Amino acid sequence: AQSVAQPEDQVNVAEGNPLTVKCTYSVSGNPYLFWYVQYPNRGLQFLLKYITGDNLVKGSYGFEAEFNKSQTSFHLKKPSALVSDSALYFCAVRDGVNQGGKLIFGQGTELSVKP
Amino acid sequence: EAGVAQSPRYKIIEKRQSVAFWCNPISGHATLYWYQQILGQGPKLLIQFQNNGVVDDSQLPKDRFSAERLKGVDSTLKIQPAKLEDSAVYLCASSPAQSLHFGNGTRLTVT
């Protein structure tokens, strides 16, 4: 069965510093991996995805993520954090064998960026 | 393009009452999902439609939850009767391919 783990409930970063939000996954086939962001009282917004190809994926708002097959990880990164990046971040995975299959979400990581 | 529309935004009901949520997906998106997001947790899939057919409803509590997408466009999710543990945000999403587009959700409080 597919699953996603986000080991940190909260990540605190100073503005201007690099940030990393961790994600590991488990699927039986090739993974389709996603990052979403959720602001208070809003739905989830798509940030980026990995389907195939280059392991480094660039997405919205300056975020990027690196797919690491050997470590089954897909960590979200940003070189310089902004206060406005403070939000809830969700990693998600779909088993690529079933491309129309359900998206499984991690429990979320709350990112707090302080001035 | 217009996003996924959901209504109502908020709903407060007493336990054992009934409630219904409505979702209008992005035009042309064949796949529609209903997710339940309990506070402090990630979204959990309740049901997935492909056009007007059910693809996955394995985690839908069918004794109290029901959903339909009769014409392959709009969808409704109903809870009858509601329990305290149903308090959550109910998110609708639609998809043309791999990425899901989410609505702002309906926050349900059961007292």
Side-chain angles (χ1 to χ4, degrees), chain A residues 26-43:
Chain A
S26 174
V27 294
S28 55
N30 291 324
Y32 287 10
L33 293 156
F34 303 80
W35 276 102
Y36 284 83
V37 60
Q38 186 175 35
Y39 296 99
N41 298 314
R42 303 294 299 275

Side-chain angles (χ1 to χ4, degrees), chain A residues 78-113:
Chain A
K78 187 172 183 180
S80 179
L82 300 173
V83 173
S84 57
D85 292 330
S86 298
L88 197 52
Y89 290 80
F90 290 97
C91 182
V93 68
R94 168 184 283 146
D95 191 331
V97 172
N98 181 6
Q99 296 181 28
K102 62 187 176 186
L103 205 57
I104 301 295
F105 286 86
Q107 71 271 30
T109 298
E110 185 173 356
L111 173 66
S112 177
V113 182

Side-chain angles (χ1 to χ4, degrees), chain B:
Chain B
E1 64 180 6
V4 176
Q6 288 189 248
S7 67
R9 284 299 312 274
Y10 305 93
K11 190 73 177 179
I12 301 174
I13 62 172
E14 295 181 351
K15 58 183 179 183
R16 291 187 289 273
Q17 286 187 325
S18 302
V19 64
F21 313 128
W22 173 83
C23 173
N24 180 238
I26 294 173
S27 178
H29 286 193
T31 311
L32 184 147
Y33 309 79
W34 282 102
Y35 280 83
Q36 180 193 57
Q37 185 179 17
I38 292 173
L39 186 65
Q41 299 181 19
K44 182 186 81 172
L45 180 71
L46 292 175
I47 189 166
Q48 176 184 346
F49 291 95
Q50 182 73 17
N51 296 309
N52 61 348
V54 175
V55 174
D56 186 340
D57 63 357
S58 57
Q59 296 192 83
L60 187 73
K62 298 180 186 64
D63 57 334
R64 299 184 300 105
F65 285 65
S66 65
E68 59 184 15
R69 194 185 184 199
L70 292 175
K71 297 183 179 179
V73 181
D74 293 5
S75 177
T76 55
L77 176 69
K78 297 179 181 178
I79 307 175
Q80 180 180 10
K83 293 185 175 181
L84 295 176
E85 58 261 35
D86 298 332
S87 293
V89 175
Y90 290 85
L91 295 165
C92 180
S94 67
S95 172
Q98 290 97 6
S99 302
L100 272 63
H101 301 254
F102 284 85
N104 286 329
T106 296
R107 181 178 298 276
L108 173 67
T109 302
V110 182
T111 62

Side-chain angles (χ1 to χ4, degrees), chain A residues 4 13 40 45 60 63-64 71 93:
Chain A
V4 177
V13 177
Q45 296 179 30
S60 306
F63 283 93
E64 57 188 29
Q71 297 185 5
V93 68

